[in-house]
Amino acid sequence: MATGSGAAAAAADAEEKESGSRMITLTSNEGKAFVVTEASARQSATIRSMVDDGGCVDKGFPLPNVDSKTLARVIQYCDEHGNKEAHTVDERAALAKFDKDFIAELDADKAFLYDVTMAANYLHIQGLFALTTQCIADTIKGKTPEEIRTAFGIEYDLTAQDEEEIKEEDTHA
Amino acid sequence: MLLPPESRDWSELPMDAFSVIFAKLGAIELLMGAGLVCHSWLHAAKLPHLWQCVEMVRLEALSLKEPIVMSEMARAAVDRSDGRLEAFEGQWSPKLKRLCLVSCYSVYKEAFIEFIAKCPLIEDIALINCGSVVFHALNVITGKSFPQLKRFELRTAFERPCYGFDVPLGIPTVVDATYPASKVRQDQDTY
């Protein structure tokens, strides 16, 4: 058993390690800096590998493909998943509830859903990417091509050759 | 990403995103919905890995019940897999008339026997390069009554007649849409 002060220091050390209390700065393409915990930043495989490779942790990470509004929302997800425990049933339920509310808001704003999906893809945040792509897939499900075009604001641009290919496949039998 | 709110181009998603999103959709949705949206979605819907596992049981969503339409879609799905089809799951129909399996080495014999016994109207069975399942098939077919059976095509690696059946070569193969929901899994190495 260590002495009082030693034990306290060891506990603080362990706590620092566990909670990843080292801070990391992420900078949006508008130059706005966001300071996050390492545990939060490590939700991104892209940043995680840069940190583990001894990258420029002190200087922070510029993210030229992500705007401030999107980055703030992405960090909100990373904070929730990186900083909070999910061991008990209640904790897991709270996280699931967070995900549900988080994606419901994006679902109502397709442009924002697009931006967050792109950022999750770029930063390799697996859980967030799974969440947004599932939302996109759910929007597509059960719809006709025209309804899908309307939902996402896509123009019909199939070429005569595309149409020929589709027709050929349809009448293959 | 400094774009005005409505200018996100959903037709040009990165391939990583397409491949994950489309993998969450069924074969019918890819063929009749997402794959017909625009040029880039059509081409993304042709990624062969999307067609490794084909599942065609969600008929209600698009109210497609015409056997001929299902048959064409099944064929298109198999074509798109480009030789990488690993599992095909469809809906069993007691009116099934044609069944063709090509290079399906790992069809479970119990599943096959159970399936074929439920198809009294079968007219045409083709088993091409399917390993040991052919012997179980022969046992079932010789032991049961299939009054409508008109053609039984069998091609094995051994290229020899079995149980008095000639082994016809060069007959066009047929893939039918109506396939068992009873977890018959196929490994289709070559098509």
Side-chain angles (χ1 to χ4, degrees):
Chain A
M1 192 75 189
T3 60
S5 63
D13 255 10
E15 195 183 312
E16 180 167 344
K17 208 166 187 182
E18 204 170 84
S19 68
S21 66
R22 185 160 61 152
M23 301 307 280
I24 287 179
T25 305
L26 308 175
T27 311
S28 74
N29 63 1
E30 293 141 292
K32 189 171 176 192
F34 293 80
V35 181
V36 302
T37 63
E38 183 177 342
S40 176
R42 291 182 77 84
Q43 290 291 307
S44 156
T46 309
I47 294 171
R48 188 164 64 230
S49 65
M50 286 194 284
V51 170
D52 290 345
D53 290 348
C56 47
V57 175
D58 297 337
K59 287 186 214 147
F61 298 95
L63 304 173
N65 293 329
V66 189
D67 65 30
S68 302
K69 182 189 172 199
T70 307
L71 186 54
R73 185 53 65 95
V74 167
I75 287 171
Q76 194 192 352
Y77 175 91
C78 291
D79 281 348
E80 195 71 20
H81 284 259
N83 295 341
K84 293 198 177 165
E85 305 288 336
H87 300 310
T88 68
V89 173
D90 285 350
E91 282 165 351
R92 279 199 292 273
L95 212 51
K97 167 86 167 56
F98 169 85
D99 282 358
K100 198 175 161 221
D101 296 344
F102 184 91
I103 203 63
E105 276 179 44
L106 293 182
D107 192 27
D109 182 350
K110 290 286 187 289
F112 203 16
L113 175 65
Y114 182 95
D115 291 346
V116 172
T117 304
M118 292 296 140
N121 185 39
Y122 166 67
L123 293 168
H124 290 101
I125 305 167
Q126 204 186 352
L128 181 57
F129 190 61
L131 198 60
T132 59
T133 51
Q134 186 62 55
C135 177
I136 297 166
D138 290 343
T139 306
I140 296 169
K141 277 180 195 170
K143 287 195 174 66
T144 64
E146 188 50 46
E147 287 165 345
I148 298 169
R149 274 179 225 122
T150 307
F152 293 104
I154 298 173
E155 298 271 324
Y156 182 92
D157 68 348
L158 289 175
T159 63
Q161 198 189 337
D162 291 337
E163 284 170 357
E164 195 57 38
E165 273 176 37
I166 293 162
K167 216 168 133 191
E168 223 166 76
E169 211 172 51
D170 282 352
T171 53
H172 207 307
Chain B
M1 268 186 240
L2 286 170
L3 296 166
E6 293 314 316
S7 71
R8 275 65 170 184
D9 189 357
W10 284 95
S11 70
E12 294 296 338
L13 291 167
M15 266 307 156
D16 284 352
F18 270 132
S19 102
V20 172
I21 294 163
F22 283 6
K24 295 174 195 287
L25 302 172
I28 295 171
E29 276 154 342
L30 280 179
L31 287 167
M32 303 299 290
L36 303 179
V37 165
C38 64
H39 182 78
S40 59
W41 284 40
L42 170 67
H43 286 270
K46 290 183 175 178
L47 290 170
H49 87 264
L50 296 172
W51 303 95
Q52 276 176 0
C53 293
V54 174
E55 177 254 305
M56 301 194 76
V57 289
R58 286 190 202 138
L59 298 184
E60 300 306 323
L62 292 159
S63 331
L64 284 165
K65 289 173 184 164
E66 291 286 329
I68 187 71
V69 175
M70 292 302 295
S71 176
E72 283 162 10
M73 285 202 287
R75 181 189 295 273
V78 173
D79 282 349
R80 286 191 183 193
S81 75
D82 194 25
R84 292 179 219 186
L85 187 64
E86 289 175 4
F88 191 109
E89 191 170 325
Q91 195 168 52
W92 165 70
S93 157
K95 292 181 182 170
L96 185 72
K97 290 182 182 169
R98 296 185 307 198
L99 175 72
C100 170
L101 302 178
V102 182
S103 296
C104 302
Y105 294 105
S106 357
V107 172
Y108 297 128
K109 69 171 186 184
E110 291 83 3
F112 181 84
I113 291 168
E114 186 191 340
F115 170 64
I116 205 75
K118 283 183 191 168
C119 302
L121 300 179
I122 196 109
E123 291 177 4
D124 186 338
I125 301 172
L127 299 171
I128 295 162
N129 199 18
C130 288
S132 64
V133 77
V134 298
F135 300 107
H136 305 299
L138 286 164
N139 283 336
V140 174
I141 289 156
T142 50
K144 301 246 178 183
S145 161
F146 293 97
Q148 305 296 321
L149 189 64
K150 294 183 181 121
R151 192 174 77 95
F152 182 78
E153 179 179 348
L154 186 64
R155 281 192 247 165
T156 72
F158 311 111
E159 293 191 9
R160 60 178 167 78
C162 299
Y163 292 81
F165 286 96
D166 283 331
V167 184
L169 289 166
I171 291 174
T173 60
V174 177
V175 176
D176 204 288
T178 40
Y179 206 68
S182 57
K183 306 278 182 282
V184 176
R185 298 182 79 81
Q186 341 172 336
D187 280 333
Q188 186 142 1
D189 299 317
T190 55
Y191 175 68

